Amino acid sequence: AQSVTQLGSHVSVSEGALVLLRCNYSSSVPPYLFWYVQYPNQGLQLLLKYTSAATLVKGINGFEAEFKKSETSFHLTKPSAHMSDAAEYFCAVSGYNQGGKLIFGQGTELSVKP
Amino acid sequence: EAGVAQSPRYKIIEKRQSVAFWCNPISGHATLYWYQQILGQGPKLLIQFQNNGVVDDSQLPKDRFSAERLKGVDSTLKIQPAKLEDSAVYLCASTDPRGDRLNTGELFFGEGSRLTVL
């Protein structure tokens, strides 16, 4: 069985500060891991994904995430927050050859203060 | 390239009424999904289609929910009768397995249909 836990339902940072959103997963098969972003009243947009190639994955809008198998983590980071980063962020997992059956975490709402 | 289209964007109904949501996936995407996103939670898969066949509907409450994709393109999700706990955003997503050669599960989502049941 697969599951995803996002630590912290709400994170608040100041503009220009480091963004760190935490995600831990559980999977009985080699996982594929994703971060999606959801802006208000919009659908989910893929930020980045890990597919067993490089463990450090770079995504759009300056975000990146590092897959750490020993810690079963896939935390999302951005060196400097921008006001436009305020949104809901979801971590998700799928397994090898289980394409499309994403298991999502409960989401983390990111607020950015001026 | 046009994205995943969904309608209506918002719907308010009384409990025990019925409602239908429509989805048009990205052109050429053979696989289509319906997810339910309850406020404060992550999306949960309801049903997965491959062309016009159902691949997985194990999480679909079949006593009240139904979905079809008759011609392998558009899809409709119906709820009848609706309950208060069905209030949620219903997200449609699609993918093209030929373009996702590792079958990783990268999905393209529509903007969703927000249902409020009073």
Side-chain angles (χ1 to χ4, degrees):
Chain A
Q2 296 172 309
S3 65
V4 171
T5 301
Q6 292 183 239
L7 300 177
S9 59
H10 186 253
V11 171
S12 182
V13 300
S14 297
E15 191 173 21
L18 171 71
V19 175
L20 171 60
L21 305 182
R22 299 177 186 274
C23 172
N24 288 88
Y25 71 92
S26 171
S27 178
S28 57
V29 297
Y32 298 132
L33 293 158
F34 305 80
W35 276 99
Y36 281 85
V37 60
Q38 185 176 36
Y39 297 102
N41 298 315
Q42 295 188 25
L44 280 73
Q45 178 184 4
L46 181 68
L47 272 179
L48 50 80
K49 66 178 180 181
Y50 165 77
T51 58
S52 74
T55 56
L56 181 62
V57 182
K58 294 187 183 299
I60 62 172
N61 301 338
F63 284 94
E64 62 182 37
E66 186 172 8
F67 172 70
K68 292 186 176 180
K69 183 177 180 180
S70 61
E71 299 178 6
T72 61
S73 69
F74 190 58
H75 301 331
L76 182 71
T77 60
K78 181 174 180 177
S80 177
H82 192 273
M83 296 296 291
S84 61
D85 295 327
E88 187 93 20
Y89 292 80
F90 292 94
C91 182
V93 64
S94 71
Y96 176 74
N97 211 28
Q98 296 179 4
K101 296 183 182 179
L102 295 181
I103 306 297
F104 284 89
Q106 77 276 20
T108 298
E109 183 180 359
L110 175 66
S111 299
V112 182
K113 299 175 291 186
Chain B
E1 169 180 272
V4 176
Q6 291 189 245
S7 68
R9 289 293 311 279
Y10 305 93
K11 189 74 176 179
I12 301 174
I13 61 173
E14 301 278 338
K15 59 183 180 183
R16 291 188 289 275
Q17 287 186 324
S18 63
V19 63
F21 301 112
W22 172 83
C23 172
N24 184 269
I26 292 173
S27 178
H29 281 196
T31 311
L32 183 148
Y33 312 81
W34 284 100
Y35 279 80
Q36 180 192 56
Q37 185 180 15
I38 294 172
L39 186 64
Q41 299 181 20
K44 185 185 77 172
L45 179 66
L46 290 176
I47 188 167
Q48 176 184 358
F49 291 94
Q50 180 74 19
N51 296 308
N52 61 349
V54 175
V55 173
D56 185 353
D57 63 358
S58 58
Q59 300 299 310
L60 189 72
K62 298 180 187 62
D63 58 334
R64 298 180 299 105
F65 286 66
S66 64
E68 60 184 14
R69 194 184 184 200
L70 294 176
K71 297 183 179 179
V73 180
D74 295 7
S75 177
T76 302
L77 176 71
K78 297 179 180 178
I79 308 174
Q80 181 181 12
K83 292 186 174 182
L84 296 177
E85 58 262 36
D86 298 332
S87 293
V89 177
Y90 292 87
L91 294 166
C92 180
S94 69
T95 191
D96 179 5
R98 297 168 302 174
D100 184 15
R101 60 182 180 83
L102 296 179
N103 201 23
T104 62
E106 177 180 348
L107 304 184
F108 297 85
F109 285 86
E111 293 184 320
S113 294
R114 181 178 298 275
L115 173 66
T116 302
V117 182
L118 302 176

